[in-house]
Amino acid sequence: MKKHIDKDNFTLVLSGGGALGIAHLGVLHDMEAKGIVPKEIVGTSMGGIIGACAAIGMKEEEIYRHIQNFSKISNWIKFSFSGNAVVDNEKIASIFENIFQQRTMKETDIPLKLIATNLHNGHKRVFSTSDNVLIKDAILSSMAIPGVFEEHIIDNETYGDGFLCENLGVNEASHDDILAVDVMGEHSFEKAMPDNFFKTANVLEMFEKSMRLLIYNQTQTHIKNCGKNILLLEPVTKGFKTFQFHKYEKIRALGLGLL
């Protein structure tokens, strides 16, 4: 990993991480202030949502307003009483349709790649400009956490969240220089063990920490095998949970000043 990249010719890679991904907005804010524009954007899950907004020309301030609306759980949560997931995607799909309408992956200002996982065979699926797929469908595939959000079907294939195969999509970058923002990186988990009064709280914290460690180690392997010049930014997200969308203001601030 390097300290510098070619700011005129690089791929921006945004990781998944649920609400932690709101920290990507702080980085986008600083990029806009410095006049830095990527030649390509690669995103997974929440990083895919924010990356897709940026790819169609949306400014950070406008994306932030959408995130503020997203923070109101009632705007997008609809519980499902059948199938394999807790959340029905109907409301979420409506939000994405309002933002992206009928734009396809080919119809972006900046080339976009979104990472999902084929739930039939476990293979990574990268939606790109070569696919005649609606952006909203690719996003619904990339963010479909198994058991939480409904899996998404495209051309008879069933897709789930991209974090299952590559949470930080550095291997999908077309350019030799990469600016990668990993909200599930080294600063996303506490070094100490949970020590709450109630055992239930400790168990839940251990589960979330284990997931963060699993994703972190997966990402480290991808970075080591990438062979490209990577400037890695890792916001300190360890004080927040992946479901705390209502803390959007504080989480966004975690991405500020990292460039």
Side-chain angles (χ1 to χ4, degrees):
M1 292 178 289
K2 304 294 184 181
K3 296 295 184 181
H4 303 285
I5 57 170
D6 181 352
K7 293 180 180 179
D8 295 319
N9 190 33
F10 72 96
T11 296
L12 174 65
V13 179
L14 304 177
S15 77
L20 307 183
I22 298 172
H24 293 314
L25 292 179
V27 177
L28 289 184
H29 173 273
D30 289 352
M31 288 175 63
E32 287 180 16
K34 296 173 184 288
I36 301 171
V37 180
K39 293 294 185 182
E40 175 187 58
I41 299 175
V42 178
T44 302
S45 201
M46 191 63 180
I49 295 172
I50 291 174
C53 289
I56 64 170
M58 221 179 261
K59 296 299 183 184
E60 187 270 336
E61 184 179 5
E62 186 178 357
I63 304 173
Y64 185 48
R65 287 200 298 270
H66 283 296
I67 293 297
Q68 286 177 304
N69 290 330
F70 203 72
S71 70
K72 301 169 185 174
I73 301 297
S74 60
N75 285 351
W76 57 274
I77 284 286
K78 178 182 178 182
F79 291 106
S80 174
F81 298 99
S82 61
N84 303 317
V86 174
V87 178
D88 184 310
N89 285 353
E90 183 181 348
K91 284 188 175 182
I92 301 173
S94 179
I95 291 172
F96 293 148
E97 186 164 354
N98 181 55
I99 294 173
F100 301 103
Q101 300 179 18
Q102 295 301 300
R103 281 180 185 254
T104 68
M105 293 294 294
K106 298 177 181 180
E107 299 173 304
T108 59
D109 297 344
I110 300 172
L112 174 67
K113 292 178 180 175
L114 297 174
I115 298 174
T117 304
N118 187 310
L119 293 179
H120 290 298
N121 55 32
H123 294 170
K124 179 168 63 176
R125 175 65 160 93
V126 182
F127 296 99
S128 67
T129 55
S130 64
D131 295 297
N132 188 28
V133 171
L134 295 177
I135 294 174
K136 68 179 182 67
D137 284 324
I139 289 176
L140 287 168
S141 298
S142 181
M143 59 159 279
I145 302 172
V148 179
F149 296 107
E150 282 184 326
E151 60 272 17
H152 198 65
I153 299 174
I154 299 176
D155 295 333
N156 297 318
E157 294 289 350
T158 305
Y159 297 103
D161 200 299
F163 87 85
L164 295 170
C165 51
E166 190 169 8
N167 195 57
L168 185 70
V170 292
N171 287 306
E172 300 309 322
S174 301
H175 300 280
D176 290 333
D177 280 13
I178 299 171
L179 174 60
V181 188
D182 188 9
V183 301
M184 296 289 278
E186 184 178 4
H187 306 310
S188 70
F189 51 87
E190 297 285 354
K191 301 301 185 289
M193 299 295 285
D195 187 24
N196 299 292
F197 180 80
F198 292 106
K199 181 176 181 178
T200 303
N202 290 328
V203 170
L204 291 174
E205 282 192 25
M206 278 301 297
F207 179 76
E208 177 148 0
K209 180 174 182 177
S210 297
M211 289 301 297
R212 295 192 190 197
L213 287 171
L214 186 153
I215 294 170
Y216 167 70
N217 282 299
Q218 174 213 75
T219 295
Q220 287 301 301
T221 299
H222 286 304
I223 289 174
K224 289 173 184 175
N225 294 328
C226 179
K228 294 191 175 184
N229 178 30
I230 302 174
L231 174 57
L232 179 64
L233 305 181
E234 297 177 290
V236 182
T237 57
K238 62 186 178 182
F240 298 88
K241 305 297 185 185
T242 54
F243 55 82
Q244 291 179 323
F245 288 93
H246 64 289
K247 295 188 176 183
Y248 57 87
E249 187 173 0
K250 291 182 179 179
I251 297 176
R252 174 184 174 273
L254 302 176
L256 295 171
L258 297 180
L259 276 177

